[in-house]
Amino acid sequence: MKKIILQDKKKTKVKDIIAAVLITALAMAVGIGAFALVCLDNVADASDSREFAPAAANITRTHLFAASEDSGVSTQADATEISKICFIILGDDPGPILTGVGSAMFTGTENIVTYPVGGSVYNWVMTCDVSEYVAQGYTNFRLHDSSLCAFEWEGTTLRVRSGVMNTKPFSVFSNENPNIRVNCDLPRVEVPLPDDPMKEGHHFVGWYYDEQLTQPYDGSPVYEDTALYAKFAINTYTVTYDTAGGKSIDSVTVDWNTVAPTPTPSRVGYYFMEWQLPNGTTYTGQPIKENTTLIAVWQIKTYTVTFYVGEEKYKEFTVEFGTVLVDAMESADIVSYKAMNSEGLRVSKRSVITEDTQVLITKLTGWEKYGDFVGRNPWYTWVTIGVLVVLLILAIVGIAELAQKRHQ
């Protein structure tokens, strides 16, 4: 009897040990399963944080669906369509919303993942086409408030999505954030100014901001539509007067396409006839379009020289201004006569005729002819002096030689 009781005790102890082992194994299995679920969920979250869902935008975690039968996770597979207007603003200053660049519509879907314990996770993603703004040069799109949700800009597409483990449905997010602001930049491209404009007879002064040409362009870069007005100044040219022996006349400055002044120059013994251009054309008021020289054209004055013998007119000649009296007398073949004025005073035959002249002549005799010849031919005097000097030198040399011979 005692033996049977011991055996029953041994059997009971074995059963307790087996039960304890089973309970321990079950607890370990439950712990390992829970750990595996957490690891898988973390892997899925990391994957979602690196890349967006496709344009079809069903971002329900596929590994959760695959494990739903074993893990007891319940899901909502149908995606809900969602949309949200965003305002696109140039630069970082939010400014008044309606004064921004424009607006665009985000559209996408929302999926709900529901856990038996721990509530639901709302995953949503939306895309927006901004090709209209990219075409206008806008770039560097970014969320004004980067804490709202995840954001990506790729080419002409903007994407936003909920954060990892988002516990608020999109409707709540939309209510809490009535305005999604997307900032962007517009690189300014300087508009080059055209080449300096040209206008006949004028030179370009510069660009002006106003049509009245009172506000000069300051050289600031032009980045947008801007009206600039060209200012011109009329060209000026110098007119030089070549008086060709007359009294000099100062040059003048005249505007392009105007008439040059034509003063009357003066020159002793000449009549002024006209001004001519360098090509010989008479200047008659042609518009001046370049620096110009006007050349004076003269006509020499003529005078009458009348020769008298006693009170009778002997000969009369017309001579040009500046003619020497002796030349006129040679023309009249009366060089061997002496000339006197109407008062009987002797007149030099080298005098210049500058007016109408009357000359009384008388025939020269003896030494008067010689003196007249010498007076009309100054070279004769110098030749005579030269000959005399040579003769004097020869005489001195001869005397010196003769004196030397006597001493010998």
Side-chain angles (χ1 to χ4, degrees):
M1 186 66 177
K2 184 176 181 180
K3 185 177 182 180
I4 294 172
I5 293 172
L6 289 172
Q7 289 177 348
D8 290 339
K9 288 182 177 179
K10 288 179 179 179
K11 291 179 179 179
T12 302
K13 188 174 182 179
V14 171
K15 291 179 180 179
D16 291 340
I17 291 172
I18 293 172
V21 171
L22 291 175
I23 291 171
T24 302
L26 180 61
M28 291 177 65
V30 172
I32 291 172
F35 179 75
L37 285 175
V38 171
C39 290
L40 289 172
D41 188 49
N42 289 336
V43 171
D45 288 343
S47 177
D48 287 344
S49 65
R50 287 193 300 270
E51 55 185 58
F52 285 97
N58 185 340
I59 63 170
T60 305
R61 293 177 175 83
T62 56
H63 68 278
L64 292 180
F65 283 109
S68 62
E69 296 181 359
D70 298 331
S71 62
V73 176
S74 61
T75 64
Q76 179 179 323
D78 295 334
T80 302
E81 293 185 359
I82 56 176
S83 63
K84 183 72 174 177
I85 293 179
C86 77
F87 296 92
I88 301 177
I89 302 169
L90 181 62
D92 292 323
D93 184 1
I97 294 174
L98 297 180
T99 62
V101 173
S103 63
M105 179 69 74
F106 277 104
T107 59
T109 58
E110 178 184 37
N111 289 294
I112 304 173
V113 180
T114 304
Y115 295 89
V117 178
S120 300
V121 175
Y122 300 89
N123 295 306
W124 50 265
V125 61
M126 296 185 295
T127 62
C128 174
D129 181 11
V130 290
S131 58
E132 173 188 355
Y133 301 104
V134 172
Q136 298 177 47
Y138 294 99
T139 185
N140 193 23
F141 294 90
R142 58 200 180 276
L143 279 182
H144 181 70
D145 186 353
S146 59
S147 65
L148 293 179
C149 52
F151 176 83
E152 183 183 66
W153 165 47
E154 182 179 353
T156 60
T157 302
L158 307 182
R159 294 187 182 92
V160 293
R161 65 171 175 80
S162 58
V164 178
M165 301 302 291
N166 183 28
T167 59
K168 292 182 180 180
F170 176 76
S171 58
V172 175
F173 168 83
S174 183
N175 290 333
E176 291 179 349
N177 300 282
N179 299 317
I180 295 181
R181 300 182 182 183
V182 175
N183 295 95
C184 64
D185 296 331
L186 181 62
R188 299 199 302 173
V189 178
E190 183 177 353
V191 179
L193 295 181
D195 294 336
D196 291 348
M198 300 178 65
K199 183 179 180 181
E200 184 183 7
H202 295 72
H203 58 274
F204 177 66
V205 175
W207 295 106
Y208 282 71
Y209 287 110
D210 61 317
E211 196 169 359
Q212 291 72 32
L213 305 177
T214 60
Q215 301 177 26
Y217 167 61
D218 58 8
S220 301
V222 178
Y223 296 108
E224 57 189 5
D225 292 344
T226 303
L228 294 177
Y229 300 89
K231 181 177 181 179
F232 293 93
I234 193 167
N235 293 338
T236 58
Y237 298 102
T238 300
V239 177
T240 303
Y241 299 97
D242 180 357
T243 56
K247 187 177 180 180
S248 63
I249 297 176
D250 293 336
S251 60
V252 296
T253 300
V254 299
D255 290 340
W256 169 81
N257 209 36
T258 58
V259 177
T262 53
T264 301
S266 61
R267 182 181 179 185
V268 176
Y270 290 82
Y271 298 106
F272 173 71
M273 304 304 295
E274 63 180 12
W275 290 106
Q276 287 185 354
L277 297 170
N279 61 6
T281 303
T282 301
Y283 180 72
T284 56
Q286 298 92 319
I288 299 299
K289 297 184 178 181
E290 60 183 348
N291 292 332
T292 303
T293 297
L294 296 181
I295 304 171
V297 177
W298 304 97
Q299 180 179 337
I300 194 168
K301 293 180 178 181
T302 59
Y303 301 101
T304 300
V305 179
T306 306
F307 295 99
Y308 290 90
V309 177
E311 295 183 357
E312 293 183 3
K313 181 187 293 184
Y314 177 66
K315 284 185 179 180
E316 186 176 83
F317 290 92
T318 299
V319 299
E320 293 181 345
F321 166 80
T323 300
V324 180
L325 178 59
V326 67
D327 294 334
M329 294 180 71
E330 286 180 353
S331 299
D333 195 22
I334 53 173
V335 176
S336 59
Y337 288 68
K338 63 180 178 181
M340 295 175 292
N341 59 20
S342 58
E343 297 175 354
L345 299 177
R346 188 77 177 262
V347 177
S348 172
K349 292 183 179 181
R350 305 301 304 174
S351 60
V352 176
I353 298 173
T354 58
E355 58 184 351
D356 292 337
T357 304
Q358 293 180 346
V359 180
L360 298 178
I361 57 173
T362 57
K363 194 171 184 178
L364 297 175
T365 60
W367 285 103
E368 288 182 338
K369 291 182 179 180
Y370 177 77
D372 179 71
F373 174 80
V374 173
R376 290 186 290 106
N377 300 281
W379 58 269
Y380 180 80
T381 300
W382 293 108
V383 170
T384 302
I385 292 174
V387 171
L388 292 176
V389 170
V390 170
L391 293 175
L392 178 61
I393 293 173
L394 292 174
I396 294 173
V397 170
I399 294 172
E401 290 179 350
L402 182 60
Q404 186 177 7
K405 287 179 180 181
R406 286 182 176 180
H407 284 295
Q408 291 177 353

